[in-house]
């Protein structure tokens, strides 16, 4: 089977405590391969904290879709409802929640068919003042082959 390039973005987000989940656009489930997260570094004040990522591959018919599963905690001094996800130094996606997030937050970023590709991921939150927080720690993850 030849690998075709396809980029499909989807959103699935939830907050462990409080908050409404953003509905997900999902694909048929299939075998998944995950890699364990590495060491987490603490982020700057006001920024989302403890960002980690896990690479997952899902088979959907002829497509192998690579997905990054991101987890983080909002800064203790904020209750954000909006985040930005940055991949490899460029803005990639806006994440909205129906209510402020607290506790561990999960979000999935589909990167299409991207086997053995390294991604540097970082996020930031929109603060109550309307300004953007500092970025979280940058997390580097490589998708499986």
């Amino acid at each position: 089977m030849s690998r075709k390039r396809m980029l499909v973005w989807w959103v699935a987000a939830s907050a462990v405590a409080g908050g409404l989940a953003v509905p997900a656009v999902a694909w048929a489930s299939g075998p998944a391969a995950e890699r364990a997260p590495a060491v987490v570094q603490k982020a700057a004040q006001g920024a989302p904290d403890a960002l980690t990522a896990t690479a997952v591959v899902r088979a959907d018919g002829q497509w192998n879709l690579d997905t990054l599963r991101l987890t983080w905690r909002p800064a203790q001094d904020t209750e954000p409802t909006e985040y930005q996800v940055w991949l490899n130094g460029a803005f990639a996606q806006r994440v909205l929640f129906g209510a402020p997030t607290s506790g561990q937050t999960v979000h999935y970023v589909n990167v299409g068919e991207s086997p053995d590709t390294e991604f540097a991921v970082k996020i930031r939150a929109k603060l109550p003042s309307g300004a953007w927080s500092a970025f979280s720690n940058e997390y580097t993850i490589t998708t499986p082959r």
Side-chain angles (χ1 to χ4, degrees), residues 14-36:
S14 64
V16 173
L20 301 174
V22 175
V25 177
W27 56 78
S29 60
E34 294 194 24
R35 292 190 179 180

Side-chain angles (χ1 to χ4, degrees), residues 39-143:
V39 177
V40 178
Q41 299 173 0
K42 188 154 176 82
Q45 186 172 0
D49 190 30
L51 173 67
T52 62
T54 305
V56 180
V57 176
R58 297 181 191 268
D60 182 16
Q62 67 180 4
W63 305 103
N64 289 318
L65 303 174
D66 294 294
T67 303
L68 305 178
R69 181 183 188 271
L70 309 179
T71 61
W72 70 87
R73 290 188 312 263
Q76 293 180 2
D77 57 343
T78 64
E79 292 187 328
T81 59
E82 183 176 348
Y83 294 89
Q84 288 182 339
V85 176
W86 290 61
L87 297 177
N88 297 333
F91 172 76
Q93 196 172 84
R94 182 176 167 202
V95 182
L96 295 173
F97 291 91
T101 58
S102 61
Q104 186 176 18
T105 302
V106 178
H107 177 71
Y108 293 88
V109 177
N110 185 341
V111 292
E113 285 197 302
S114 303
D116 199 27
T117 302
E118 184 176 277
F119 291 94
V121 181
K122 61 185 176 181
I123 61 172
R124 63 183 180 174
K126 192 165 198 176
L127 302 173
S129 68
W132 289 100
S133 73
F135 281 102
S136 67
N137 57 295
E138 187 169 272
Y139 195 96
T140 301
I141 185 85
T142 302
T143 56

